[in-house]
CSV table of all heavy atoms in Angstrom, one decimal:
chain,number,residue,atom,x,y,z
A,214,TYR,N,-1.4,33.6,9.2
A,214,TYR,CA,-1.5,32.4,10.0
A,214,TYR,C,-2.7,31.6,9.5
A,214,TYR,O,-3.7,32.1,9.0
A,214,TYR,CB,-1.6,32.7,11.5
A,214,TYR,CG,-2.8,33.5,11.9
A,214,TYR,CD1,-4.0,32.9,12.3
A,214,TYR,CD2,-2.7,34.9,11.9
A,214,TYR,CE1,-5.1,33.6,12.7
A,214,TYR,CE2,-3.8,35.6,12.3
A,214,TYR,CZ,-5.0,35.0,12.7
A,214,TYR,OH,-6.1,35.7,13.1
A,215,ILE,N,-2.6,30.3,9.7
A,215,ILE,CA,-3.7,29.3,9.3
A,215,ILE,C,-3.8,28.4,10.5
A,215,ILE,O,-2.9,27.8,11.0
A,215,ILE,CB,-3.4,28.5,8.1
A,215,ILE,CG1,-3.2,29.5,6.8
A,215,ILE,CG2,-4.5,27.5,7.8
A,215,ILE,CD1,-2.8,28.7,5.6
A,216,THR,N,-5.1,28.2,11.0
A,216,THR,CA,-5.3,27.3,12.1
A,216,THR,C,-6.0,26.1,11.5
A,216,THR,O,-6.9,26.1,10.6
A,216,THR,CB,-6.2,27.9,13.2
A,216,THR,OG1,-7.5,28.3,12.6
A,216,THR,CG2,-5.5,29.1,13.8
A,217,CYS,N,-5.7,24.9,12.0
A,217,CYS,CA,-6.3,23.6,11.7
A,217,CYS,C,-6.6,22.8,13.0
A,217,CYS,O,-5.6,22.1,13.4
A,217,CYS,CB,-5.4,22.8,10.8
A,217,CYS,SG,-5.3,23.4,9.1
A,218,CYS,N,-7.7,22.9,13.5
A,218,CYS,CA,-8.0,22.3,14.8
A,218,CYS,C,-8.7,20.9,14.6
A,218,CYS,O,-9.9,20.9,14.1
A,218,CYS,CB,-8.9,23.2,15.7
A,218,CYS,SG,-9.2,22.5,17.4
A,219,GLU,N,-8.1,19.8,14.8
A,219,GLU,CA,-8.6,18.5,14.6
A,219,GLU,C,-9.1,18.3,13.1
A,219,GLU,O,-10.3,18.0,12.9
A,219,GLU,CB,-9.8,18.3,15.6
A,219,GLU,CG,-9.4,18.2,17.0
A,219,GLU,CD,-8.7,17.0,17.4
A,219,GLU,OE1,-9.2,15.9,17.1
A,219,GLU,OE2,-7.6,17.1,18.0
A,220,VAL,N,-8.2,18.7,12.2
A,220,VAL,CA,-8.6,18.6,10.8
A,220,VAL,C,-7.6,17.7,10.0
A,220,VAL,O,-8.1,16.9,9.2
A,220,VAL,CB,-8.5,20.1,10.2
A,220,VAL,CG1,-8.6,20.1,8.7
A,220,VAL,CG2,-9.5,21.0,10.8
A,221,ILE,N,-6.3,17.8,10.3
A,221,ILE,CA,-5.4,17.1,9.4
A,221,ILE,C,-5.5,15.6,9.5
A,221,ILE,O,-5.1,14.9,8.5
A,221,ILE,CB,-4.0,17.6,9.7
A,221,ILE,CG1,-3.5,17.2,11.1
A,221,ILE,CG2,-3.7,19.0,9.5
A,221,ILE,CD1,-2.0,17.5,11.4
A,222,GLU,N,-6.1,15.0,10.5
A,222,GLU,CA,-6.3,13.5,10.6
A,222,GLU,C,-7.4,13.1,9.6
A,222,GLU,O,-7.6,11.9,9.3
A,222,GLU,CB,-6.6,13.1,12.0
A,222,GLU,CG,-7.9,13.7,12.6
A,222,GLU,CD,-7.7,15.0,13.2
A,222,GLU,OE1,-6.6,15.6,13.1
A,222,GLU,OE2,-8.7,15.5,13.9
A,223,HIS,N,-8.2,14.1,9.0
A,223,HIS,CA,-9.2,13.8,8.1
A,223,HIS,C,-8.7,13.9,6.6
A,223,HIS,O,-9.5,13.5,5.7
A,223,HIS,CB,-10.4,14.8,8.2
A,223,HIS,CG,-11.0,14.8,9.6
A,223,HIS,ND1,-12.0,13.8,10.0
A,223,HIS,CD2,-10.8,15.6,10.7
A,223,HIS,CE1,-12.4,14.1,11.2
A,223,HIS,NE2,-11.6,15.2,11.7
A,224,PHE,N,-7.5,14.3,6.4
A,224,PHE,CA,-7.0,14.5,5.0
A,224,PHE,C,-6.9,13.1,4.3
A,224,PHE,O,-6.1,12.3,4.7
A,224,PHE,CB,-5.6,15.1,5.1
A,224,PHE,CG,-5.6,16.6,5.4
A,224,PHE,CD1,-4.4,17.2,5.7
A,224,PHE,CD2,-6.8,17.3,5.4
A,224,PHE,CE1,-4.4,18.6,6.0
A,224,PHE,CE2,-6.8,18.7,5.8
A,224,PHE,CZ,-5.5,19.3,6.0
A,225,HIS,N,-7.6,13.0,3.2
A,225,HIS,CA,-7.5,11.9,2.3
A,225,HIS,C,-6.2,11.9,1.5
A,225,HIS,O,-5.6,10.9,1.1
A,225,HIS,CB,-8.6,11.8,1.3
A,225,HIS,CG,-9.9,11.4,2.0
A,225,HIS,ND1,-11.1,11.2,1.3
A,225,HIS,CD2,-10.3,11.3,3.3
A,225,HIS,CE1,-12.1,10.9,2.2
A,225,HIS,NE2,-11.6,11.0,3.4
A,226,HIS,N,-5.8,13.2,1.2
A,226,HIS,CA,-4.6,13.4,0.3
A,226,HIS,C,-3.6,14.3,1.0
A,226,HIS,O,-3.5,15.6,0.7
A,226,HIS,CB,-4.9,13.9,-1.1
A,226,HIS,CG,-6.0,13.1,-1.7
A,226,HIS,ND1,-5.7,11.9,-2.3
A,226,HIS,CD2,-7.3,13.3,-1.9
A,226,HIS,CE1,-6.8,11.4,-2.9
A,226,HIS,NE2,-7.8,12.3,-2.6
Side-chain angles (χ1 to χ4, degrees):
Y214 61 91
I215 299 173
T216 60
C217 286
C218 183
E219 295 287 308
V220 172
I221 61 176
E222 63 274 8
H223 301 277
F224 285 169
H225 291 185
H226 307 286

